[in-house]
Amino acid sequence: MRAIIYCRVSSDPTGRGRSVSEQEAECRAVCEREGWEISEVLTDNDIGASRFSGKDRPAWRRLHDTLGAGDVLVTWVASRAQRDLEAYVQLRNLCADRGVLWSYSGRTYDLNRGDDRFTTGLDALLSEREAENIREHVLRAARASALAGRPHGKIPYGYRAVRDPETGRIVERIPDGAGSLIVQEAARRILAGETLHAITRDFRERGTPPPPGAQTWRPQMIKRMVLRPTYAGIRVHQGAPVGKGKWEPLITPEDQEKLTAILTDPTRVTHRGVAPRHLLTGIALCGVCGEQSGSTMRRINRKGHEAYHCNENGCVTRKMKPLDEYVTAAVIGRLEEPSLIGTIGATGTEAADLYAQARVLQARLDSFIKDGIEGLVSSAVVGQAEKTLVPQIEELEVRARRAASSPIVGEMAGPQAEARWYEASIEHRREVVRTLVKVEILPVRGTRRVFNPEDVRLTWQK
Ligand SMILES: [Zn+2]
């Protein structure tokens, strides 16, 4: 099948858009996967141009000339190509009239089919709304910081205050659209098994505004956020829970319990409160008692040198620097192996993107359900949205998990692994080690004082 790729650059106040080269790369990857032959790549620059007028958009005109029956039009995710409903309707009609399939977000639609018209229409409606929500939130955040310094009560992120019009005192707090959805999204994604890092990265890439007072999103911030009792509707006084609040919870108490279990699990070292500073503490196993006790290495200072030491029984000790160097070299070698890339995913960011797409669909579904609850749309529409979106979300999540056991490994693997390793934070390096290899520190044989790789056992994960 002949594929025509169509990309658009537009001014993007939400900061969620992709550059044209990124859009193009993703579209090309789709074509390659589907076995489509790319006949043309068309790009329009919308910045400063009047919307879809055609006048300023040579590629859009070219699209009309070139699209023919049996072709497939490939664009980047809906929220991009379908900036507004008007644009969507024009694209949809063009595809339907020409008998052209339309592919975005990893799916291909036939606009002459009712189901596909419904799904794409839903995408367009919701992406427009999503853009509005984010824009509103940006404005609100700007206004809030302008008012900083004035007393306004301590309302947690994700809520807003309802004030008594006479006294100006806060009488109630209610969920605030964008912020509350972010809190819920973070909780849901952690429950689904995503790492704090993956979510942080996604929030940053999407340009999701961080809570007031913060410069940017950080993994620990997200952890603290989802574990705040107030989001489960629990009142806290001087650090201790004192009862049930009157406000609407954003996370159920049951889910918050699960989140606590997940985020304080000692085997998930990246989620500990204090950021680890060493590559292998809590990761490398004692080669003597580790099988029975599960004992890992802790850091000790030995004659002025940092060393790893069996935490439970003190069976083995190893100088830190040469061991770190040895494991680092081995892991980088592994990351550079083409066979690893094959198992991790075709492109480094594939898994993260798939998760992001699943998240977008989930947010859409949620807003439909919310509208259904508020009576803005009929339950039949909500049911239809669920029927259409849930299988798509599930499929994306399955693909994401298949694409990478760890999104960070997926991102680091490849021919440039060494450079990326040295740019990465210690938390990311640790996650990569933990995902890829079991490190066991064996007792030193003989009396050699020099580090000997034979006294370490590396077992690569399949
Ligand atoms: Zn031991």
Side-chain angles (χ1 to χ4, degrees), residues 195-249:
T195 65
L196 292 170
H197 287 288
I199 299 167
T200 304
R201 194 168 53 228
D202 182 41
F203 282 5
R204 287 185 191 173
E205 279 172 7
R206 277 157 53 192
T208 307
Q215 296 290 315
T216 182
W217 287 98
R218 296 189 188 288
Q220 289 306 315
M221 187 194 293
I222 293 175
K223 175 181 170 177
R224 279 198 304 274
M225 180 174 89
V226 299
L227 295 183
R228 273 185 77 168
T230 191
Y231 291 133
I234 295 163
R235 272 178 62 204
V236 172
H237 183 64
Q238 295 184 339
V242 291
K244 216 166 160 293
K246 277 190 290 181
W247 58 91
E248 187 187 323

Side-chain angles (χ1 to χ4, degrees), residues 285-290 293 295-297 309-316 441:
L285 277 168
C286 171
V288 178
C289 73
S293 67
S295 178
T296 53
M297 295 292 120
H309 190 67
C310 166
N311 191 32
E312 295 289 329
N313 302 307
C315 320
V316 292
I441 313 303

Side-chain angles (χ1 to χ4, degrees), residues 92-354:
R92 184 191 71 184
N93 292 346
L94 180 64
C95 290
D97 290 350
R98 301 287 168 93
V100 170
L101 298 177
W102 183 9
S103 168
Y104 64 82
S105 289
R107 293 183 72 89
T108 305
Y109 300 95
D110 176 352
L111 281 314
N112 285 310
R113 291 186 52 226
D115 260 9
D116 285 0
R117 289 172 82 91
F118 178 83
T119 307
T120 55
L122 191 60
D123 279 347
L125 260 173
L126 290 164
S127 55
E128 189 175 67
R129 196 186 127 125
E130 203 176 356
E132 287 302 322
N133 280 345
I134 290 169
R135 216 169 287 137
E136 259 174 46
H137 187 68
V138 170
L139 285 175
R140 208 160 33 227
R143 248 180 268 133
S145 65
L147 292 174
R150 288 173 56 184
H152 48 72
K154 270 196 183 167
I155 291 290
Y157 173 76
Y159 288 100
R160 64 188 171 81
V162 178
R163 289 169 193 278
D164 182 314
E166 307 231 330
T167 64
R169 287 183 55 178
I170 295 169
V171 289
E172 204 189 344
R173 67 164 75 140
I174 59 171
D176 140 85
S180 63
L181 292 176
I182 291 297
V183 173
Q184 290 171 327
E185 180 192 332
R188 189 173 53 242
R189 292 173 68 175
I190 295 163
L191 289 170
E194 274 190 73
T195 65
L196 292 170
H197 287 288
I199 299 167
T200 304
R201 194 168 53 228
D202 182 41
F203 282 5
R204 287 185 191 173
E205 279 172 7
R206 277 157 53 192
T208 307
Q215 296 290 315
T216 182
W217 287 98
R218 296 189 188 288
Q220 289 306 315
M221 187 194 293
I222 293 175
K223 175 181 170 177
R224 279 198 304 274
M225 180 174 89
V226 299
L227 295 183
R228 273 185 77 168
T230 191
Y231 291 133
I234 295 163
R235 272 178 62 204
V236 172
H237 183 64
Q238 295 184 339
V242 291
K244 216 166 160 293
K246 277 190 290 181
W247 58 91
E248 187 187 323
L250 300 183
I251 302 172
T252 66
E254 293 79 5
D255 276 352
Q256 199 168 61
E257 260 171 47
K258 284 184 214 152
L259 288 164
T260 309
I262 292 171
L263 295 175
T264 55
D265 177 353
T267 64
R268 286 177 64 141
V269 182
T270 48
H271 293 132
R272 277 190 186 159
V274 180
R277 280 174 298 132
H278 308 289
L279 187 64
L280 299 172
T281 46
I283 294 178
L285 277 168
C286 171
V288 178
C289 73
E291 284 294 328
Q292 285 89 45
S293 67
S295 178
T296 53
M297 295 292 120
R298 68 182 160 92
R299 176 198 161 274
I300 58 164
N301 196 313
R302 197 202 207 192
K303 296 173 196 156
H305 292 288
E306 291 195 296
Y308 292 111
H309 190 67
C310 166
N311 191 32
E312 295 289 329
N313 302 307
C315 320
V316 292
T317 307
R318 200 60 32 94
K319 265 191 196 166
M320 185 176 284
K321 195 162 172 275
L323 178 62
D324 281 356
E325 284 170 0
Y326 172 67
V327 172
T328 295
V331 167
I332 290 171
R334 178 78 178 137
L335 286 166
E336 286 175 346
E337 277 174 29
S339 64
L340 178 74
I341 304 169
T343 64
I344 291 290
T347 63
T349 54
E350 189 180 345
D353 282 345
L354 290 167

